[in-house]
Amino acid sequence: MLTCKDFLTELNDYLDESVDRELKVKLEQHVTECPNCFVVFDTTKKTIKIYKGIEPQVIPEDIHSRLMAALHKKMAAGKGYS
Amino acid sequence: MSETTVAEVFDEAPLVERARSGDTAAFSELVNRYERKIFRLAKHITQNDEDAEDVLQETFLKAYSHLESFQGHSKFYTWIVRIAVNEALMKLRKRKSSRTVSLDEPTDTGEDTMVREIAVWEENPEQKYSRDELREILDKAVESLKPAFRTVFVLRDIEELSTEETATALDISIPAVKSRLLRARLQLREKLTKFFRRKGDDVFAYL
């Protein structure tokens, strides 16, 4: 029998689906029996999903221009040949 | 989003090869492809616009100068992330030593893996907010993590590097990545609960 503490210790690997089958069965059983651990599991899973789903913002135009200017300068100078 | 990433990686080798052989347009294309992600990563780690811009420039300038040393065994993206992480950590350390308040100083009082809030969330809680609101909520939550946890979370769960890649990029052990990631995830879960919890439920609903 897993305790809630055991469950928490394994939570990461469980979320990343990197636990072996035997342990997975035990963890699955624990979440069906323990509503609190189910909530922690479910909300942590959602936390990760929400962060993964967010697209990076477009870079401010001036920052992009300065980056390209610095690069073009470097490219014009050639790398290592000058 | 993940489909695009797979497609990009798939057709990327020829582009990288062209860049390596001196095609500057090909290199610019790689910059356009990844500048947003690198800038976001730099901002998350340094938490400072000026530093983030420096990191962005340094990353691509260094990548350009050292393109010959990129072997193609790893993804181009993973390679530049490693450069960016190094640059960003250098900035962070520099700032740390020039200030009286250490960035390692806990802003939260310990209890890293403590679970206090046990409340059910909405099914798709992110839909309750506009894109901008959501971005702000998420960014603020990440910002409030300690740097050690924040960097691991950003690399693993935002930039989607593997545990091994994260360990290499940060020069820490795999168990350290795992334990910091767990703490970061649990702390974020805790912080986001107040925004995403289902209306009408309370903490004791399941006790």
Side-chain angles (χ1 to χ4, degrees):
Chain A
M1 270 292 278
L2 284 182
T3 64
C4 295
K5 209 176 162 210
D6 297 334
F7 181 80
L8 210 56
T9 312
E10 302 296 340
L11 179 63
N12 242 12
D13 286 340
Y14 186 36
L15 286 163
D16 294 336
E17 289 172 13
S18 56
V19 289
D20 60 44
R21 268 202 27 213
E22 197 188 335
L23 182 56
K24 195 179 167 197
V25 171
K26 285 186 188 160
L27 293 164
E28 276 166 354
Q29 195 188 342
H30 185 81
V31 280
T32 58
E33 288 166 357
C34 175
N36 284 345
C37 283
F38 172 76
V39 172
V40 172
F41 166 71
D42 183 62
T43 53
T44 310
K45 194 165 82 179
K46 283 176 177 154
T47 299
I48 300 165
K49 183 180 149 250
I50 292 167
Y51 274 102
K52 284 193 172 154
I54 197 139
E55 294 280 336
Q57 263 175 312
V58 175
I59 293 193
E61 193 47 45
D62 53 333
I63 294 184
H64 172 77
S65 309
R66 287 196 289 270
L67 168 64
M68 293 321 280
L71 263 174
H72 286 143
K73 201 172 150 197
K74 181 118 186 163
M75 286 167 171
K79 40 177 167 173
Y81 307 121
S82 57
Chain B
M1 187 189 161
S2 51
E3 283 89 347
T4 348
T5 318
V6 171
E8 277 170 7
V9 171
F10 209 72
D11 67 6
E12 194 160 85
L15 185 64
V16 174
E17 205 35 59
R18 269 169 43 214
R20 266 163 64 95
S21 62
D23 182 342
T24 54
F27 189 78
S28 299
E29 168 61 28
L30 288 168
V31 173
N32 283 323
R33 200 169 273 194
Y34 294 118
E35 61 176 357
R36 294 178 190 193
K37 287 185 133 204
I38 296 297
F39 189 61
R40 174 172 69 175
L41 171 76
K43 256 180 96 160
H44 273 313
I45 297 180
T46 64
Q47 308 210 316
N48 175 292
D49 281 3
E50 220 175 286
D51 284 351
E53 182 174 354
D54 284 350
V55 169
L56 177 75
Q57 287 199 12
E58 282 304 311
T59 300
F60 284 111
L61 290 174
K62 281 201 174 150
Y64 184 73
S65 308
H66 298 100
L67 212 48
E68 286 87 356
S69 69
F70 171 65
Q71 297 297 321
H73 299 313
S74 61
K75 286 177 285 183
F76 178 75
Y77 174 61
T78 314
W79 184 62
I80 53 171
V81 160
R82 205 173 304 163
I83 301 174
V85 168
N86 280 333
E87 294 294 324
L89 290 178
M90 265 187 326
K91 289 277 179 197
L92 198 63
R93 287 186 194 116
K94 226 180 252 172
R95 280 206 177 256
K96 218 167 75 176
S97 56
S98 65
R99 274 189 197 169
T100 43
V101 182
S102 161
L103 284 169
D104 278 336
E105 211 65 52
T107 41
D108 270 346
T109 43
E111 304 156 330
D112 292 333
T113 50
M114 195 178 210
V115 174
R116 276 154 298 198
E117 284 276 4
I118 300 180
V120 179
W121 286 9
E122 304 267 344
E123 208 33 60
N124 293 296
E126 68 275 27
Q127 289 170 5
K128 277 170 52 181
Y129 297 92
S130 73
R131 264 171 92 102
D132 288 346
E133 284 169 339
L134 182 66
R135 210 186 283 280
E136 204 188 321
I137 291 168
L138 298 179
D139 283 352
K140 281 231 168 86
V142 170
E143 271 172 35
S144 68
L145 298 177
K146 291 182 210 165
F149 301 157
R150 195 170 74 221
T151 41
V152 170
F153 180 79
V154 168
L155 293 182
R156 282 286 285 116
D157 284 344
I158 299 184
E159 304 305 336
E160 302 190 44
L161 265 60
S162 69
T163 301
E164 291 73 15
E165 288 167 339
T166 304
T168 311
L170 295 172
D171 201 16
I172 57 176
S173 70
I174 286 175
V177 171
K178 288 187 169 183
S179 90
R180 289 180 197 187
L181 182 64
L182 177 64
R183 290 159 186 222
R185 284 171 167 178
L186 288 175
Q187 285 178 28
L188 289 172
R189 185 203 79 84
E190 198 88 29
K191 287 168 204 294
L192 296 181
T193 288
K194 73 166 180 275
F195 298 100
F196 297 155
R197 65 191 302 163
R198 196 160 74 197
K199 290 269 165 355
D201 282 335
D202 64 48
V203 184
F204 305 107
Y206 289 93
L207 298 180

